[in-house]
Structures are given as structure tokens and as C-alpha cells.
Amino acid sequence: MTDPDVTVVVAVYNTMPYLTACLDSLVGQSIGTERLEVIAVDDGSTDESGKELDRFAAEYPGTVRVLHQENSGGPAAPSNRALDLATGRYVYFIGSDDYLGAEALERMVACADEHGSDVVVGKMVGTNGRYVHQKLYAETDPDVSLYDSALPYTLANTKLFRRSLVEEHHLRFPEDLPVGSDQPFTIEACVRARKISVLADYTCYYAVKRGDASNITYRADHLARLRCTAKIMKHTAALIPPGPNRDAVFKRHFEWELSKLLQADFLALDAGTRRKVCEGIAELTDAYFTDGLRDGTGVTRRVRFGLAERGAVDELCAALGDEAEHGAPAFLLEDGRAFATYPGFRDSAVGLPDRCYEVLAEGVAGRLAQHTELESAEWEQEGSQLFLSLSLRLGVVGDTASATVALAQGAMPKSADKPGARRLPADAGRPQPVGEFGREPVPDGTRTRLTARIPIEQRNAKRGVRVYVDVAGSTYEIPVRSDGLPMPLARRWGRTVPYRVSANVNPKGRLVITTAPLWETKSGVFRRLRRKLSRLNRKVNR
């Protein structure tokens, strides 16, 4: 018998009934059972997983091989045992609660053979609410790099690896990591690979979140996750020298693993655990958080890392609690710069530099939109002139002279939908402000109240109400949302040519001002006739 094209490794621990779907998806692969080897290791399951594995082994004796062992505490040991026995040209790893698309292995093996790939990443999606980062799968690419793609955000071992590469470098899973043991393996394989390919035109892998969220990834506590991340980063640092390439990989670990340790659930930890988490993060930021990574990290994460680094646990807890209850703090605008006024800002006892709190563009649009609140909207009339009078709260303080409101023609680009606002392109230019504006801090000093009195022109138009403000050298455009406030009733104004104005809320909740003549005439003759009739009507009514 010739060696199979691919060995699929399945580490199993108490995954019934998901295991059945997993194994069905393997033996049903279009590559055929004669080209396939499945090595499943039962890691001391206490449910029916062991019996289910034996059933498949009996039904597919030339394809499915089952080993049973005492529980090791994680997927690393059973995966290593299977690797020692693998005979395929390629090796593939699958979680025993996940399943494959029917053509997955055939397509990935064909890709590796065609392009000489040492690693093939097939498109992976989440099911039942499981999150899977999708940026890497934007398009099929036979040659991607670990350092200039989204690959660092897709470090699970659920990939096709050339087995000769695995054995040449004796790649194995660290058995002392209860979670994340696949990352050192995957990172080293990608560092040493001659070519890495991505297949994005077919869904190869379906990652399942169990109904009880009992996947091992969801069970580890803060300190266990911190220890695992520290070991992963130490292993990676030994493979990749300091510089942009290492930063490209570690950006993921700061944005994901370490950031997740400093979220709202940090507040539920006891004081000793909080302190240990901060100490561990301080060691990692001191070793690996370069100036480039720091400046490329959003201000929220940067401040949390900074407070942890300084051991300012009380300020960190205050920052987390305040943001959970009230949202992100206001931006302080000062000398062309912007700062997020989190706890510890300019506190000599904490000692963090202003740079730690400085806003460097990332996430600004979303935060401005979140904290732009409409307080009131009404019409004001003086003789024949009509005005829109507005009062809004903005999430900025300090030098707020740039904050204005304008009525803008045309829809916002779709790219503004998710954050709810946008940074204007440098060549776009902001509308010339028309009207009267006032700016003053709200009583508690945490926001700025912007008042506007904007003249309404007699024209046929539909225009959005938008705030414009300069933050950190850029102008931001923020559509004003009604937020359920009652809008002023439609108003008729104008004598010679009567117009109608209305304040409406579009399907996205944004305030739109519509103006139009009460009637449309088709020619100049009819317009003149309408004016004469209007004058005659006024004389009769005198």
C-alpha cells in the first residue's frame, strides 16, 4: 500500500455529539479514503467519544486509526502522539468538534502540489456564534507572507502542512500549554516554510462553538492565558529577530490575547490576581512592546497597557469601570493634538507620558459618533427667514473652536456606516460654516455643548445634518442621529414662493432636512401666472 496523500490528526476529549459530524466529514472527503489517513487520539474521554471513535475505526479499517490514552489536559500531547505515527505527505489538524467541507482536503493538497506550498490555509468560518477572523480570506493567494498579511490573526493549526517540513524541524506542540499550544507550531512552520498559500474560494473548515461554550479556548482563566501567551511570545522571539517582522506577529498578541486580559471581567478578579496580571503584562510590554507597536495601537489599549505597566491597578479599574458605564472619555483638544482623558492622565503619581494618552487617528470616528448626542432641534422664524436651531453634546473638550454644524448634500459613504462617522479625505475640504455657533462645557466638564442656528435656504434639496470637528490634524464628519427625540413639525414659510421644510429621520436614524416649493410649475409662463394669482388673492383678502 502506498503512503496516503494526507494524514488528518484529531485530538479528542469529550466532544460528543459533535465528534460524529467531524468524522463523517473526514471519511466523506472527495479526496477518497484510499488517499487519506485519519489518526484520532482519545485523550481520556469520559463520554461516548471513545466508543464512537472505535465504531469509525471498525467501519473504515484502512483509513481510521484510533489510539486511547490517559487524559493529558490539552490537545498538545495527543496531537504529538498522532504526528509520530503519521505517514501522509501532508498533515492536517482538525478540532474534534469541527468539520470540513466535502472538497477541502482534495483542494488543499492540489494547491500544495501545484505551487510547492509547505503550508496551505483553507478558508475557515465560524458556526453557532464562533468568531473566526476573515481578513486573510479576502482572496486566494498562492504566496503570502507571515509578515505583511492577516496570517498572524489566523494562527490555529487548522492548516495543511507538508510533513517533510514538520519532521525536518521536528515541529511538535508544547505540552505545557493548556491553551494556545498550536500557535508555536504554526508560527514556526510559517517562519520556516518556503511558500504559504491561501485558498479563499471554498469553505474548507467549519469551526463550531459548542452549545455550552465548553471549548477549551473558552475555559482558561486570566493567569493561565497570560502564562501561555508569555511562552508563545518567548518562542516566537527566538525565531524572529527584533524589527518590523517580529512586530507584525506580536501586534496580534497585544491586540488579542493581552488586550482580552484587560477587559471588563478584569474587575471581577480578586486584588492579588489583578496585580499578577498587571505584573505579567508589564514584563511583556517591557520586552516586546516597541515604539512602533505602541504608536500603532489604539489609545484605549495603549492606556490600559500603560496603567498595567506602571502597576496603577486602581486607575486601570477606574478606566475599565467608567468606560463600561459611560463609554470612552472625551477627547481633550489642545495645540493641534488630542488626548483621551482616561484616569491617570497627567497624574504625577502614575507618571505616564502624554504620548500614552494621545489619540493617533485609530478609532476616532467611532468614538466621536458614539458621543455626539442631539439634545434638541426646532425651527425659529424671523420675518421671512427661517432657521434650524440645534443643541448637541460632543465628546470633545478644550479647544473646540473647529466644531460646527452644516447641512450637507449627498449620502455618507458606506465606509462610514459601521463607525457612524468618517475622517474626511485630505482633499475633500469641510463645508463653509453658515450661521451662528456657540460652544461651552457641560456642567460636569466631560463634554462640550454645541449650539447652532443655521439659516434655511429656499431650495429644492435633501440635506443631512452633520457635525464637523478637527481632531489630531484631521477633520471628522459626524452625521447627527435623532436618538428618538421628537422632531419639529413640518413648516411652511416664504411669501412670494411658499416653501415647505421638514426634519426627517432616515432609515439609519440620521437627521435629514428636506426643503421644497409647495408646488412645482412647468414653465416660466405658469410661474408668472401663479405670482399674479397670489397677488390677486392677497388684494381680495385685504
Side-chain angles (χ1 to χ4, degrees):
M1 177 180 175
T2 59
D3 290 337
D5 282 326
V6 59
T7 297
V8 178
V9 171
V10 192
V12 180
Y13 178 72
N14 287 357
T15 52
M16 288 294 290
Y18 305 96
L19 177 61
T20 303
C22 172
L23 296 174
D24 279 337
S25 77
L26 296 180
V27 298
Q29 285 291 299
S30 63
I31 199 170
T33 54
E34 69 282 356
R35 299 174 60 192
L36 173 67
E37 175 182 58
V38 177
I39 302 180
V41 180
D42 174 23
D43 196 41
S45 295
T46 57
D47 65 356
E48 298 296 309
S49 295
K51 290 182 180 179
E52 186 71 344
L53 290 173
D54 291 339
R55 182 176 74 83
F56 270 84
E59 189 171 347
Y60 300 93
T63 302
V64 179
R65 181 176 180 182
V66 174
L67 304 172
H68 298 274
Q69 65 180 33
E70 293 294 320
N71 181 255
S72 66
S79 297
N80 286 340
R81 188 174 180 192
L83 266 182
D84 290 340
L85 301 173
T87 61
R89 293 191 298 125
Y90 300 98
V91 62
Y92 190 84
F93 300 90
I94 183 173
S96 59
D97 37 18
D98 302 331
Y99 60 94
L100 299 184
E103 300 174 18
L105 296 178
E106 183 178 21
R107 286 172 177 257
M108 286 188 284
V109 168
C111 175
D113 286 343
E114 178 183 357
H115 299 291
S117 313
D118 286 330
V119 180
V120 177
V121 189
K123 182 178 180 180
M124 182 178 182
V125 300
T127 68
N128 198 30
R130 179 84 173 266
Y131 174 76
V132 174
H133 198 271
Q134 291 296 303
K135 189 175 180 181
L136 183 66
Y137 309 120
E139 60 181 358
T140 293
D141 190 335
D143 193 2
V144 301
S145 167
L146 177 64
Y147 310 118
D148 60 7
S149 72
L151 184 54
Y153 292 87
T154 313
L155 293 179
N157 64 342
T158 49
K159 300 167 176 59
L160 188 80
F161 300 91
R162 189 177 296 274
R163 195 166 66 86
S164 60
L165 174 80
V166 172
E167 295 308 322
E168 178 185 352
H169 299 286
H170 194 64
L171 302 183
R172 292 296 187 269
F173 299 93
E175 297 183 13
D176 59 344
L177 293 186
V179 293
S181 61
D182 51 351
Q183 284 197 37
F185 181 99
T186 303
I187 291 170
E188 185 163 359
C190 291
V191 168
R192 301 191 183 284
R194 293 167 299 173
K195 184 177 288 187
I196 305 168
S197 300
V198 174
L199 278 180
D201 56 356
Y202 179 81
T203 301
C204 294
Y205 195 102
Y206 294 84
V208 178
K209 183 178 181 180
R210 301 181 207 166
D212 59 358
S214 61
N215 310 60
I216 191 169
T217 305
Y218 299 95
R219 299 200 307 266
D221 64 26
H222 279 68
L223 293 179
R225 285 150 53 197
L226 176 61
R227 284 192 295 269
C228 291
T229 303
K231 290 181 178 180
I232 292 166
M233 296 179 79
K234 182 177 180 180
H235 179 84
T236 304
L239 294 168
I240 308 171
N245 286 349
R246 184 194 282 183
D247 284 358
V249 178
F250 280 168
K251 182 177 175 64
R252 172 243 164 83
H253 295 94
F254 283 107
E255 287 189 353
W256 276 21
E257 282 85 355
L258 296 179
S259 289
K260 288 177 181 178
L261 299 177
L262 298 178
Q263 295 182 338
D265 57 355
F266 179 85
L267 298 173
L269 303 176
D270 62 79
T273 302
R274 290 178 187 172
R275 179 178 51 78
K276 289 178 181 177
V277 169
C278 288
E279 288 172 352
I281 288 176
E283 291 180 8
L284 295 176
T285 55
D286 183 59
Y288 307 123
F289 203 38
T290 63
D291 289 343
L293 280 173
R294 196 179 299 271
D295 287 349
T297 298
V299 67
T300 298
R301 292 191 183 104
R302 198 181 331 121
V303 168
R304 292 178 186 180
F305 289 146
L307 293 173
E309 210 171 359
R310 294 300 172 99
V313 180
D314 290 343
E315 288 79 5
L316 175 58
C317 289
L320 293 169
D322 290 350
E323 190 156 6
E325 186 174 355
H326 305 294
F331 291 150
L332 170 64
L333 307 183
E334 187 178 86
D335 299 328
R337 299 167 72 190
F339 305 93
T341 53
Y342 284 102
F345 178 60
R346 292 180 178 168
D347 183 340
S348 59
V350 173
L352 283 174
D354 281 3
R355 183 69 170 178
C356 184
Y357 291 84
E358 187 167 4
V359 178
L360 303 174
E362 185 178 333
V364 173
R367 291 163 67 117
L368 290 174
Q370 180 185 0
H371 294 296
T372 297
E373 303 172 19
L374 179 64
E375 293 183 320
S376 65
E378 57 187 12
W379 308 120
E380 292 183 6
Q381 191 159 356
E382 290 182 2
S384 61
Q385 181 65 66
L386 187 68
F387 298 87
L388 173 63
S389 180
L390 298 169
S391 177
L392 307 104
R393 285 191 179 206
L394 307 182
V396 292
V397 294
D399 182 8
T400 58
S402 68
T404 58
V405 182
L407 304 184
Q409 192 83 34
M412 292 285 286
K414 289 184 178 180
S415 60
D417 286 348
K418 185 174 180 180
R422 67 164 177 158
R423 180 170 59 175
L424 286 180
D427 59 351
R430 60 188 289 168
Q432 187 68 27
V434 177
E436 302 169 13
F437 303 95
R439 308 162 191 89
E440 62 179 10
V442 301
D444 64 4
T446 61
R447 298 285 185 271
T448 292
R449 177 172 286 110
L450 171 65
T451 56
R453 192 167 183 262
I454 303 170
I456 303 298
E457 303 171 68
Q458 288 189 322
R459 54 186 289 194
N460 195 343
K462 183 180 290 186
R463 293 174 292 171
V465 181
R466 297 176 192 163
V467 172
Y468 296 86
V469 62
D470 295 340
V471 176
S474 297
T475 298
Y476 289 85
E477 182 179 34
I478 311 150
V480 174
R481 299 177 56 85
S482 72
D483 292 326
L485 285 176
M487 293 295 102
L489 297 176
R491 176 76 66 93
R492 168 181 169 166
W493 95 107
R495 292 183 177 179
T496 305
V497 179
Y499 269 73
R500 182 179 185 274
V501 62
S502 60
N504 306 304
V505 180
N506 72 11
K508 294 178 180 177
R510 297 168 179 170
L511 182 56
V512 176
I513 304 301
T514 302
T515 53
L518 282 179
W519 52 73
E520 296 286 348
T521 56
K522 295 184 179 180
S523 71
V525 173
F526 285 108
R527 282 198 299 272
R528 289 193 295 272
L529 178 60
R530 175 60 69 183
R531 291 195 190 101
K532 288 181 180 180
L533 290 174
S534 178
R535 286 196 296 270
L536 179 61
N537 185 54
R538 289 199 298 274
K539 288 180 181 179
V540 170
N541 290 329
R542 284 177 181 172

